[in-house]
Amino acid sequence: MKTYKIAVIPGDGIGKEVVPAAIEVLDTVAKLDGGFQFEWTYFPWGCDYYLEHGEMMPEDGIETLKKYDQIFLGAVGMPELVPDHISLWGLLIKIRRELKQSINVRPAKLLQGLQSPLRDPQNFDITVVRENSEGEYSDSGGRIHQGADEIAIQNAIFTRKGTERAMRYAFEIAKNSRQHVTSATKSNGLTYSMPFWDEIFDEVKKDYPDIDTAVNHIDALAAFFVMKPHAFDVIVASNLFGDILTDLGGAIMGSIGIAPAANLNIEREYPSMFEPVHGSAPDIAGQGVANPIGQIWTGKMMLDFLGHQHAGIKVLNAIEATLASGVKTRDLGGTSTLEEVKNTILKNL
């Protein structure tokens, strides 16, 4: 039997509640499969750790994580006690960058039993491939002068290697989907980075003649997400554009609280990290009312990456059956607790 060693970082707030629920679901589907199992190792890193130790994770934390097959992350953030830039760059982005998790993948799908705020969503099923290591979120720039003369400079850095890597991954995904890739750009406003992005997209698509393509400016693409999300299959976007689009994807599903994400080291040299899109929600932490579906769906993405797509399908089917039966947390208009949602998913499995 294959054993996967998983580093678990529940993090802050509701992360400490939804992560154990998701692990119970993953252990159950592994037992049903019979061909693999998980070995979970917990790390108490996050804002509580920062308040005690002055750092979000130990100095040797990255070296520790390298020993594991994958990383399962809950949520990070406690803004009333730790500034967001400290919690974000001290843990989440540090892991993404130093473990070379250069691709971020986030699906947006109309789930059975979930009401989209859109009038006519038409069963959309979108996968956004986001460049995850550079672009607009590059740590390059600075501030000079004071008062009225103060200047802030933020540099967006795009490399051919990073851009092409994201695009090729999007095309590879599209082979097993509806064979269509849309590029998110803004070359009519960003005069250097986005024409560069467009040129590389034109080069890469020549290697995939069976895949249909389209190019949309990001502002129009955001509007199309609301007007006709069913028209999209795989979308490839820069770091900032992908971040915004995927939050919108969560919104048109019915709640950002159910959206999953994968930070992938596609070379498999280092572990990848799987996390839900939702935040730590400290306002509802400890009340037992958090929605565990985002974390459980994130576990499904980890199953897929490990090559257990059949088990992943079972998890997603169990989620949809749970929603269709009316068992939902209050963020989805229901009255069920986290425990009730988890137990119903387990029953459906």
Side-chain angles (χ1 to χ4, degrees):
M1 180 182 291
K2 175 67 176 178
T3 298
Y4 297 106
K5 296 182 178 181
I6 310 298
V8 183
I9 308 174
D12 306 310
I14 63 170
K16 297 175 182 179
E17 301 171 69
V18 296
V19 165
I23 285 176
E24 191 171 344
V25 171
L26 290 170
D27 279 339
T28 299
V29 78
K31 188 179 296 184
L32 290 169
D33 180 277
F36 66 96
Q37 63 184 358
F38 294 105
E39 181 182 297
W40 311 96
T41 302
Y42 283 76
F43 295 94
W45 304 337
C47 289
D48 285 336
Y49 188 89
Y50 177 85
L51 293 172
E52 184 176 350
H53 301 279
E55 54 188 359
M56 292 293 293
M57 64 190 299
E59 189 174 339
D60 63 350
I62 295 296
E63 290 303 313
T64 299
L65 291 175
K66 287 179 181 179
K67 302 172 185 176
Y68 293 87
D69 295 313
Q70 310 297 340
I71 303 165
F72 200 48
L73 176 69
V76 178
M78 202 180 290
E80 71 280 6
L81 297 175
V82 180
D84 279 341
H85 69 278
I86 291 177
S87 61
L88 188 65
W89 285 87
L91 184 63
L92 180 64
I93 293 183
K94 182 178 178 67
I95 294 172
R96 285 178 178 175
R97 298 287 169 90
E98 295 193 31
L99 296 182
K100 298 182 180 180
Q101 295 167 352
S102 58
I103 303 292
N104 182 279
V105 180
R106 296 183 183 180
K109 182 181 187 296
L110 183 65
L111 297 178
Q112 180 185 357
L114 197 61
Q115 181 68 47
S116 169
L118 300 180
R119 182 178 60 189
D120 185 20
Q122 295 189 42
N123 292 320
F124 61 85
D125 189 351
I126 306 166
T127 300
V128 178
V129 175
R130 166 188 168 194
E131 200 292 315
N132 204 36
S133 62
E134 52 185 42
E136 303 89 349
Y137 290 173
S138 300
D139 188 19
S140 174
R143 294 171 65 167
I144 58 174
H145 305 316
Q146 301 294 324
D149 294 324
E150 188 171 11
I151 298 172
I153 300 171
Q154 183 74 46
N155 295 317
I157 297 175
F158 289 78
T159 66
R160 174 172 288 274
K161 181 179 179 180
T163 300
E164 184 174 334
R165 179 170 50 206
M167 291 175 176
R168 290 193 179 278
Y169 194 78
F171 276 97
E172 291 297 326
I173 287 179
K175 286 181 179 179
N176 298 313
S177 187
R178 300 194 304 280
Q179 299 195 334
H180 190 281
V181 176
T182 300
S183 171
T185 186
K186 191 56 183 170
S187 49
N188 61 347
L190 300 172
T191 54
Y192 296 108
S193 60
M194 285 295 112
F196 176 76
W197 176 279
D198 291 348
E199 289 167 14
I200 296 176
F201 187 76
D202 285 341
E203 293 173 12
V204 170
K205 73 180 184 182
K206 293 176 183 177
D207 293 335
Y208 298 88
D210 296 330
I211 306 293
D212 293 327
T213 62
V215 176
N216 288 153
H217 288 139
I218 186 61
D219 44 348
L221 190 52
F224 293 153
F225 254 48
V226 175
M227 298 171 65
K228 54 176 185 178
H230 57 277
F232 298 100
D233 179 17
V234 179
I235 296 173
V236 62
S238 66
N239 215 332
L240 175 62
F241 292 173
D243 196 5
I244 294 170
L245 276 181
T246 49
D247 278 6
L248 181 54
I252 63 175
M253 282 195 288
S255 171
I256 198 171
I258 64 171
N263 301 283
L264 302 180
N265 175 258
I266 58 174
E267 299 83 5
R268 300 181 188 257
E269 178 185 4
Y270 300 116
S272 295
M273 179 167 62
F274 300 83
E275 54 162 334
V277 176
H278 65 67
S280 58
D283 56 319
I284 62 168
Q287 300 177 28
V289 298
N291 190 342
I293 288 178
Q295 191 77 50
I296 295 170
W297 193 355
T298 294
K300 183 265 185 195
M301 295 188 75
M302 186 168 71
L303 288 169
D304 291 343
F305 192 68
L306 290 170
H308 299 288
Q309 291 87 351
H310 57 291
I313 290 172
K314 289 180 180 179
V315 170
L316 189 56
N317 287 344
I319 289 172
E320 292 197 81
T322 298
L323 293 170
S325 69
V327 178
K328 305 173 185 177
T329 47
R330 65 188 190 187
D331 59 305
L332 300 179
T335 58
S336 302
T337 64
L338 181 155
E339 193 75 7
E340 288 168 341
V341 171
K342 179 202 72 176
N343 287 339
T344 306
I345 291 173
L346 290 172
K347 178 183 176 181
N348 287 324
L349 274 175

